[in-house]
Amino acid sequence: MTEQHSHRFERGTDGPKVIVVGVDGSDSSLRAAAYAAGLARRQHALLAVVYVQPVLAAGAALGVPVAGTTDEIAEDLVVQIRESAERLKGIFEVRWEFHTFRGDPYNGLVTAADELKADAVVVGASEQAGHRIVGSVAVRLVKAGRWPVTVVP
């Protein structure tokens, strides 16, 4: 008698283990982080909070201290996340990590999702009018078709 292993269902392995959420300090990204935190808590998944530091060569050429500014944004985001986690301690427990990547938001989130082995990606809806023409980061992530993507308004 031969045993067939195809199409076997494994109990307890459904659902995401790593949820990546992109944050940039905007209201929609902070709502996305809150949504992703709830999802991570319910799924007992790791929440990977990702800030993509923009690389602005033109700004640097004009003498704008881009790296220092984006480092300050990253530090401020970590403070906000830690404060929120501390306020909810004992009521709302979630495992989380903070990561920064450099680049444009789309490529930074793709790199983050790949390196962190994301099972799902959560982002805020774009608040920029021009994205209706060019395509937002969220739309580009959905079109990549590599992870389930949730867009939070």
Side-chain angles (χ1 to χ4, degrees):
M1 180 186 276
T2 60
E3 192 176 322
Q4 289 188 340
H5 293 286
S6 63
H7 306 299
R8 286 181 95 176
F9 178 78
E10 296 182 42
R11 293 192 189 276
T13 59
D14 291 343
K17 297 296 177 212
V18 177
I19 298 169
V20 166
V21 61
V23 295
D24 61 7
S26 67
D27 288 343
S28 68
S29 79
L30 297 177
R31 286 191 297 271
Y35 178 87
L39 184 60
R41 180 186 57 82
R42 289 186 298 279
Q43 296 289 335
H44 305 288
L46 173 67
L47 177 63
V49 181
V50 174
Y51 170 60
V52 180
Q53 293 181 299
V55 177
L56 303 172
L62 296 172
V64 178
V66 174
T69 302
T70 60
D71 286 344
E72 287 174 22
I73 292 169
E75 289 167 17
D76 185 51
L77 288 168
V78 171
V79 168
Q80 287 181 48
I81 294 163
R82 282 206 176 107
E83 286 173 354
S84 295
E86 196 58 39
R87 278 195 308 272
L88 297 169
K89 205 169 195 88
I91 302 165
F92 185 96
E93 298 289 333
V94 66
R95 292 180 306 124
W96 65 276
E97 299 174 347
F98 184 82
H99 300 270
T100 59
F101 289 82
R102 290 194 183 277
D104 68 273
Y106 170 76
N107 286 312
L109 285 172
V110 167
T111 300
D114 284 345
E115 288 185 13
L116 299 170
K117 297 181 178 24
D119 296 300
V121 177
V122 179
V123 292
S126 175
E127 296 177 349
Q128 296 179 12
H131 284 169
R132 282 179 285 220
I133 300 163
V134 182
S136 67
V137 171
V139 169
R140 292 174 67 195
L141 288 168
V142 170
K143 285 182 177 180
R146 291 163 60 184
W147 322 267
V149 177
T150 302
V151 183
V152 177

